[in-house]
Amino acid sequence: MILISYDIKVYRKQLKEVLNKGDTVVELGCHVGNTSEIIAKNIKNGKLIALDNSPEAIPKMNILAKKYNNLKFISGDVRLHTTLKKAYKNLNKCDVLSVDLGGGYHPDTTFKVYFIWASLLKPKITLIRNRGLIDFVRSSKTEEVFESNEGWLESCGNEGIPPQIKEFELWSPKLNKNKKS
């Protein structure tokens, strides 16, 4: 299941509804941790890997990581191979992928980041906060049927990252071979 929202209240409500106490959650775009704290509280027996590239995130997320032993903060750009690899090494599964890269209108970066991370992590549920994606989905019609019951695009299978997304320099099967247990 993939849930798309724009309103931060709707996004957080949806998160609370899908989280289970033992879930492993990857949060892309945690900023200063307001949503991270909600996640950490709701997955008491689980694990949260929260990532953000903004300098203001570092001190606040480090404080939250001390407060919640189930939260690991990684400061890094979620578009980079090194950041994905760093997060992946801390995971044995991903139940929920939470993507909030500002929630703004332009959906291209948000979708590329979602696609790369979801192709590798194969979450059961994904939540994306982005107004542009909602507008695109609600304005679209197709005669073809592609459906996914998961939080990643099953129609892509295990193909990895298409070569046309070169700016991210990622190839998900490469990470599977390099993962340390």
Side-chain angles (χ1 to χ4, degrees), residues 61-69 71:
M61 289 305 297
N62 286 336
I63 290 168
L64 274 181
K66 288 178 184 171
K67 183 176 178 182
Y68 297 96
N69 63 1
L71 188 159

Side-chain angles (χ1 to χ4, degrees), residues 36-37 40 47-50 61 64-65 68-73:
S36 306
E37 189 157 21
K47 182 179 195 173
L48 169 60
I49 307 291
M61 289 305 297
L64 274 181
Y68 297 96
N69 63 1
N70 62 347
L71 188 159
K72 176 169 180 57
F73 171 64

Side-chain angles (χ1 to χ4, degrees), residues 27-181:
E27 181 189 17
L28 306 178
C30 65
H31 194 56
V32 296
N34 294 328
T35 302
S36 306
E37 189 157 21
I38 292 168
I39 296 169
K41 284 180 182 177
N42 280 276
I43 59 165
K44 296 180 193 296
N45 302 325
K47 182 179 195 173
L48 169 60
I49 307 291
L51 301 101
D52 202 287
N53 196 34
S54 62
E56 59 269 12
I58 298 169
K60 301 224 179 195
M61 289 305 297
N62 286 336
I63 290 168
L64 274 181
K66 288 178 184 171
K67 183 176 178 182
Y68 297 96
N69 63 1
N70 62 347
L71 188 159
K72 176 169 180 57
F73 171 64
I74 297 173
S75 177
D77 187 331
V78 297
R79 297 171 295 172
L80 300 177
H81 176 80
T82 53
T83 305
L84 177 58
K85 189 172 181 180
K86 197 181 295 186
Y88 189 69
K89 285 182 179 181
N90 286 283
L91 296 167
N92 59 3
K93 66 175 182 162
C94 177
D95 299 301
V96 178
L97 176 62
S98 170
V99 182
D100 182 1
L101 302 178
Y105 188 80
H106 302 286
D108 55 334
T109 299
T110 300
F111 185 79
K112 287 175 189 174
V113 167
Y114 152 75
F115 183 80
I116 289 166
W117 285 75
S119 292
L120 176 65
L121 302 178
K122 298 190 174 24
K124 296 175 189 171
I125 299 169
T126 295
L127 295 96
I128 301 172
R129 189 170 91 86
N130 185 272
R131 187 179 66 168
L133 284 177
I134 293 172
D135 191 14
F136 177 79
V137 169
R138 294 289 183 194
S139 301
S140 301
K141 291 183 182 180
T142 183
E143 293 183 21
E144 297 175 283
V145 177
F146 293 95
E147 292 187 18
S148 174
N149 294 316
E150 302 292 333
W152 56 283
L153 303 178
E154 294 172 82
S155 62
C156 297
N158 290 316
E159 295 175 21
I161 308 309
Q164 63 267 30
I165 305 182
K166 292 179 182 171
E167 67 267 30
F168 293 131
E169 298 178 11
L170 292 173
W171 190 259
S172 58
K174 178 179 172 185
L175 285 174
N176 286 324
K177 292 177 189 171
N178 295 332
K179 184 174 181 184
K180 293 180 183 175
S181 300

